[in-house]
Amino acid sequence: MLPATDIAVCEWSEAKYLFFSENIWGDFIYYSHLLPALATILVTIFLFVNARQNKAAQALLFTGASFTIWSLMDLFLWASERVDLIMFTWSAMIYLELFIYVGVLYFIYAYVSGKFPSFKEELILFALFIPLFLFGHTSLNLTGFDLTNCWREAIEGPLWQTYIYSIEIALALWILAYAALRTFREKGLARRREIVIISTGALLFLFLFSFGNILGSFESDWEVGQIGLFGMPVLLVFISYVVVHYEAFRAKVFAAEALFSAAFLLLLSILFVRTIDNAHIIAITTLFLFSVLGFLLVRSIKAEIAQREQIESLAVKLERANTRLKQLDKQKSEFVSIASHQLRSPLTSIAGYASLLREGTYGNIPQKMLEPLERIEQSARFMTESIEDYLNVSRIESGNMKYHLTDFNLRDETEHICDDIRPEALRKGLVLLFRTNMKATGVVNADLGKVQQILHNLINNALKYTPKGTINVVVRDDTKRKRIYVDIVDTGIGMNDDTLHSIFQKFERGDKANTVNVKGTGLGLYVALKMAEAMGGTITAHSDGEGKGSRFTLELPLAL
Ligand code: ADP
């Protein structure tokens, strides 16, 4: 420690609360140390709280904390008159310098790739600290205290002037190379820009930070070094911009804006510090930087808001169009319903009279008229069925389908339907078999007419789409789940996956459907499924592929 007389000669004053003393020759030092440190720690904590799991936010908090501690230690160096404390603090700061660089490297790695450096890279980084552990406490760190003047400065040894500064340059180059490589490899343009902005900000910060220190070390002019401290806010502004523009940390837009305004006001206040001339130059430069970046920041927020407003107004229009469409759809259903009702009765009488004529109820009919009459009857029946389908669709869609639930035996019903359809199957050269595998009696509570319609539809489809072979109808149940199943298994044309996925939709017919059966509306399965669902059941379809047959299963709850 220096004899008290020397201190007296130099007229150093005692520091109060570590940081406040007459030794600091201008308020500017407080600004340059406290404001960036404060802004840094606030922003990095804010980002960390917003995205704890984000590795980049973690690395940034580490860097921010190191920078803040560094700034406070440096401020202490300015304020203190205690030679021993100055020497201790100064020599300890070498670790923090390295922390800051390594922190920025981790940040860039995490930001760009979402990962920290690899184990090997971490080993290299760790190795960088070894000389500090070995020689940090020796005179290689600080060789002594400069007593040639009253500036209270330590004399930096090779650990500072050679080792740490070269390492800093090497680390900066490492970051630059990594960022450049990743930018080059990145395909997305927006992401590229993001990486460029973030790494430019980081490197700018490191450059300003070291530039001031290195200059100070070699020229012993520590005043210029103050510029360096404003590097951190510069990086922060870059980060804020990226946060908002790319929602990198998913932080709120307004938070970034508030952050920027706060930093701007703080920096503006430097203008009112009159103690040193270059404070103005520094403040103006920094203000300029802030203004440009702030402008970009606010502009991107505005663009985003405008976009959102546009989307909102589109959503309103869409909503209106949707309502109108629903109205139209309803009107269409009503129209179909009315038109179909009008058509149904004349068609039924056409079919009926054609049948009566053919059977000779109105006298003998010449032989060659029989076939045309049969065609008239068939077509009229097909049209009646189609109209029935349309009517069902319009009833389902308008919610007017009525269900009259009664208890009946589904197994017996299915057997009757099979018996009814068997002659038709035989005419087509098909075998229609009925089997059961039941534990319970097979009573369901459902709408009998609708269930008959569904079964007719499924079994008739099996007939329609099976050129030759067998149709197996199996009724089975699962008493535990209280369900009853009717499987209709055919050896027909089968279905590919695409067809399987679409057949239950309105007007959907399989690609192959037309080759086997030209007649068809593509409404039968849609109606059947809706009805089954309304009665607490469902219909599923399965096929191993085209030409491999199909299996349709009607499933209904058992009434127990
Ligand atoms: P439609 O039979 O009037 O075309 P559906 O709604 O009853 O209408 O059937 C839709 C489509 O499902 C049919 O066009 C056909 O491609 C397919 N499909 C239905 N049942 C079978 C089956 N048993 N075998 C193969 N394909 C079938």
Side-chain angles (χ1 to χ4, degrees):
M1 188 167 161
L2 216 67
T5 45
D6 283 356
I7 298 174
V9 167
C10 286
E11 293 179 344
W12 294 338
S13 53
E14 248 177 71
K16 283 198 196 82
Y17 307 114
L18 295 177
F19 302 121
F20 299 96
S21 92
E22 298 285 306
N23 299 332
I24 295 179
W25 37 261
D27 295 348
F28 178 66
I29 295 292
Y30 289 116
Y31 278 98
S32 71
H33 283 77
L34 291 177
L35 295 187
L38 193 74
T40 303
I41 201 70
L42 285 180
V43 175
T44 51
I45 288 178
F46 172 80
L47 287 175
F48 177 73
V49 169
N50 260 282
R52 262 168 229 272
Q53 302 305 326
N54 188 311
K55 288 202 161 61
Q58 294 165 3
L60 203 65
L61 181 63
F62 174 80
T63 318
S66 305
F67 175 79
T68 307
I69 298 170
W70 188 98
S71 299
L72 292 178
M73 285 166 99
D74 200 50
L75 185 62
F76 172 75
L77 291 187
W78 283 98
S80 180
E81 79 295 350
R82 295 264 310 267
V83 176
D84 52 347
L85 291 182
I86 291 177
M87 289 295 280
F88 173 76
T89 312
W90 198 306
S91 60
M93 277 168 77
I94 200 162
Y95 290 95
L96 285 153
E97 294 242 349
L98 206 50
F99 277 162
I100 293 171
Y101 268 78
V102 171
V104 172
L105 184 94
Y106 267 63
F107 168 67
I108 291 294
Y109 262 74
Y111 192 91
V112 172
S113 69
K115 283 188 288 227
F116 284 148
S118 69
F119 183 63
K120 271 191 203 149
E121 288 165 326
E122 280 188 326
L123 278 185
I124 299 176
L125 291 171
F126 180 74
L128 298 180
F129 281 91
I130 295 175
L132 300 190
F133 297 141
L134 293 179
F135 309 113
H137 55 280
T138 66
S139 58
L140 289 175
N141 188 335
L142 296 179
T143 48
F145 195 81
D146 191 353
L147 285 175
T148 52
N149 50 44
C150 285
W151 290 346
R152 288 171 300 118
E153 274 169 15
I155 304 165
E156 293 183 341
L159 210 53
W160 274 101
Q161 300 216 337
T162 316
Y163 183 69
I164 207 76
Y165 292 139
S166 2
I167 291 297
E168 286 179 2
I169 292 170
L171 284 175
L173 289 176
W174 182 345
I175 295 171
L176 180 69
Y178 178 74
L181 196 75
R182 296 299 297 227
T183 316
F184 187 65
R185 279 206 207 139
E186 181 61 50
K187 299 226 162 43
L189 203 68
R191 179 77 183 143
R192 263 193 190 187
R193 277 181 61 183
E194 196 181 331
I195 299 176
V196 169
I197 294 176
I198 267 298
S199 40
T200 311
L203 286 167
L204 208 64
F205 157 68
L206 289 180
F207 174 74
L208 287 174
F209 180 69
S210 291
F211 173 76
N213 289 335
I214 296 177
L215 206 78
S217 287
F218 290 103
E219 301 291 323
S220 282
D221 178 2
W222 294 103
E223 286 170 40
V224 190
Q226 304 312 307
I227 301 172
L229 296 177
F230 287 96
M232 198 60 176
V234 169
L235 171 63
L236 292 178
V237 173
F238 269 98
I239 292 171
S240 311
Y241 175 73
V242 175
V243 164
V244 176
H245 200 78
Y246 302 100
E247 280 194 60
F249 289 99
R250 304 206 175 285
K252 299 269 182 301
V253 171
F254 74 87
E257 212 174 2
L259 214 90
F260 171 76
S261 324
F264 183 87
L265 283 177
L266 287 174
L267 278 163
L268 186 73
S269 61
I270 301 176
L271 277 182
F272 301 99
V273 186
R274 296 181 172 280
T275 31
I276 60 165
D277 290 339
N278 41 5
H280 275 93
I281 301 163
I282 295 165
I284 288 167
T285 328
T286 323
L287 264 181
F288 174 72
L289 255 175
F290 266 92
S291 310
V292 173
L293 290 166
F295 171 74
L296 288 174
L297 192 73
V298 172
R299 198 179 58 170
S300 81
I301 295 170
K302 278 191 182 151
E304 193 169 310
I305 290 172
Q307 218 173 9
R308 208 168 288 170
E309 280 171 354
Q310 206 181 357
I311 291 172
E312 270 164 22
S313 88
L314 278 177
V316 173
K317 278 188 197 152
L318 206 67
E319 179 77 42
R320 266 192 227 133
N322 210 5
T323 324
R324 174 94 189 104
L325 273 178
K326 274 190 193 145
Q327 281 171 350
L328 282 176
D329 202 44
K330 207 166 156 235
Q331 284 170 1
K332 178 211 72 187
S333 289
E334 280 163 12
F335 169 75
V336 170
S337 167
I338 294 166
S340 312
H341 275 293
Q342 306 281 351
L343 289 171
R344 200 164 48 164
S345 358
L347 275 170
T348 319
S349 50
I350 291 174
Y353 281 113
S355 167
L356 290 174
L357 276 172
R358 213 161 45 86
E359 284 160 10
T361 316
Y362 301 100
N364 280 343
I365 297 285
Q367 189 65 28
K368 61 176 182 183
M369 267 182 78
L370 286 178
E371 206 200 316
L373 277 175
E374 195 182 338
R375 289 239 182 118
I376 292 175
E377 191 192 332
Q378 271 181 0
S379 302
R381 289 213 194 282
F382 173 68
M383 277 176 85
T384 322
E385 277 167 23
S386 306
I387 284 171
E388 200 51 47
D389 279 347
Y390 286 118
L391 274 172
N392 280 328
V393 171
S394 91
R395 280 188 204 117
I396 288 169
E397 288 183 348
S398 59
N400 282 335
M401 190 69 117
K402 298 275 182 300
Y403 295 85
H404 306 286
L405 305 184
T406 52
D407 280 356
F408 62 90
N409 192 307
L410 181 64
R411 189 199 53 198
D412 297 349
E413 247 347 287
T414 314
E415 189 167 10
H416 294 156
I417 293 172
C418 285
D419 292 344
D420 289 348
I421 298 181
R422 192 162 293 115
E424 168 76 18
L426 283 174
R427 247 201 309 280
K428 286 194 71 187
L430 300 168
V431 182
L432 174 61
L433 298 174
F434 173 79
R435 284 188 290 128
T436 59
N437 181 8
M438 303 280 293
K439 290 185 199 79
T441 49
V443 176
V444 294
N445 182 258
D447 184 315
L448 178 60
K450 305 276 189 302
V451 172
Q452 284 173 337
Q453 193 182 331
I454 295 171
L455 287 172
H456 265 282
N457 185 295
L458 295 179
I459 302 174
N460 275 327
N461 270 354
L463 252 62
K464 276 199 303 195
Y465 300 109
T466 308
K468 65 175 195 305
T470 323
I471 292 142
N472 269 300
V473 179
V474 184
V475 189
R476 57 190 168 90
D477 62 2
D478 181 341
T479 41
K480 256 192 224 136
R481 292 184 59 220
K482 295 187 184 168
R483 311 293 277 182
I484 182 163
Y485 307 90
V486 184
D487 296 319
I488 294 109
V489 189
D490 64 42
T491 54
I493 61 168
M495 286 168 281
N496 58 25
D497 277 355
D498 283 351
T499 311
L500 259 180
H501 283 121
S502 62
I503 49 171
F504 288 104
Q505 280 154 26
K506 253 192 299 186
F507 301 111
E508 283 294 341
R509 304 199 67 209
D511 307 331
K512 288 269 176 314
N514 275 335
T515 59
V516 191
N517 192 307
V518 241
K519 283 184 190 163
T521 51
L523 291 174
L525 287 178
Y526 169 79
V527 172
L529 178 65
K530 292 280 175 204
M531 293 203 284
E533 283 175 349
M535 295 184 288
T538 187
I539 299 174
T540 50
H542 175 85
S543 172
D544 286 334
E546 279 175 8
K548 296 191 176 156
S550 319
R551 185 181 72 227
F552 283 81
T553 304
L554 165 68
E555 178 184 337
L556 284 174
L558 273 175
L560 286 180

